Amino acid sequence: MLGFLRTDDEALVSCLGDPQRTVGAYHELLRRADDALDAVRAGLDHPDPAVREGCCRLLDHLVDTDSMPRLIEMADDPDAKVRIAAFHALACDRCKNDTCAPGADRVLEPALRHLAGDPDPQVRLRAVELVGKFVHTDATALAAILTSHRQDPSPAVRKKSGWYAPGGTIHRRTLPRTPKQPGRPGGRP
C-alpha cells in the first residue's frame, strides 16, 4: 500500500520528513482523519522540523479541541516553516467549527509577539492573519495591525496588515453588521 514498508500511523508521520514520501503520507493521514490524530499530535515532538510542519498542516484540517493547545505551542517552534504552518492552522477558519476555533484569550498573545518581532517575514505574514481576526473586538490587535502596516520592514507584511486595518478590504468585509431595525432599510439611520 502506498509503496511504504510500514503503513501504521506513526510510520506515516515519520514519512512527512521524507521528500519522496511526504505527499503520499500526508494524504493517507488526512484520509485516516480521527484515527490518525494521536500519531499526528505526537509528531509535533518529532526532531525533524519537516515532520512537525507536516503535522501542523494536517491539524489545520483535522483539528479538534484537544489539538488546539499543541498548535498554539507550535507557534513558538524554533523552525520558521513550523511557525508558519502553526499560525496558518490557528488563523484558518475554513476547516474549523466554532467549538474548536481558538479565542483571543488563547492565541492573541503569541500572534502579537511574533507579529512584532519574528525575524522571518513569512511568519509575520501569518501572524497578521491571526491578529487581524480580532481587530474589531480587541484594541491591542488593532494597534498591532496599524503599527505593522506603518513600520514592518517587509513590504508584503505592511501590505497585508493594511488589508486588516480600518478601510482595508478584509477589515470592511469582516466588519460586524448592525441588526436591521424596523423602518430603516439595511439597519442604518
Side-chain angles (χ1 to χ4, degrees), residues 172-187:
R172 286 193 312 265
R173 187 177 68 221
T174 59
L175 192 65
R177 304 287 180 220
T178 56
K180 291 184 180 183
Q181 296 176 358
R184 294 188 179 146

Side-chain angles (χ1 to χ4, degrees), residues 5-24:
L5 293 174
R6 289 179 38 219
T7 58
D8 56 281
D9 296 337
E10 292 76 16
L12 290 173
V13 165
S14 291
C15 287
L16 293 171
D18 179 348
Q20 302 300 316
R21 293 188 169 90
T22 188
V23 172

Side-chain angles (χ1 to χ4, degrees), residues 24-155:
Y26 178 88
H27 288 294
E28 180 59 19
L29 288 163
L30 193 57
R31 187 190 69 73
R32 293 179 183 187
D34 291 346
D35 294 336
L37 260 176
D38 288 338
V40 171
R41 280 191 215 111
L44 295 173
D45 295 320
H46 199 279
D48 184 345
V51 172
R52 297 193 308 271
E53 176 192 4
C55 289
C56 286
R57 290 187 307 112
L58 281 161
L59 288 174
D60 180 30
H61 299 281
L62 303 176
V63 73
D64 61 349
T65 53
D66 294 336
S67 301
M68 200 53 65
R70 292 302 318 274
L71 269 175
I72 294 168
E73 289 173 21
M74 300 315 288
D76 289 323
D77 192 88
D79 187 86
K81 289 182 180 179
V82 176
R83 294 193 306 274
I84 291 166
F87 275 118
H88 173 79
L90 291 167
C92 181
D93 290 333
R94 189 171 355 140
C95 303
K96 297 165 192 66
N97 57 35
D98 289 338
T99 60
C100 68
D105 60 321
R106 298 176 71 195
V107 297
L108 193 52
E109 187 278 325
L112 289 168
R113 189 167 21 87
H114 285 276
L115 177 59
D118 199 284
D120 190 292
Q122 292 297 317
V123 174
R124 294 194 310 274
L125 275 171
R126 295 304 182 269
V128 165
E129 295 170 359
L130 189 51
V131 172
K133 289 176 64 170
F134 303 105
V135 295
H136 297 293
T137 57
D138 189 286
T140 308
L142 178 58
I145 287 292
L146 292 171
T147 299
S148 176
H149 180 54
R150 286 189 309 268
Q151 299 175 3
D152 195 275
S154 167

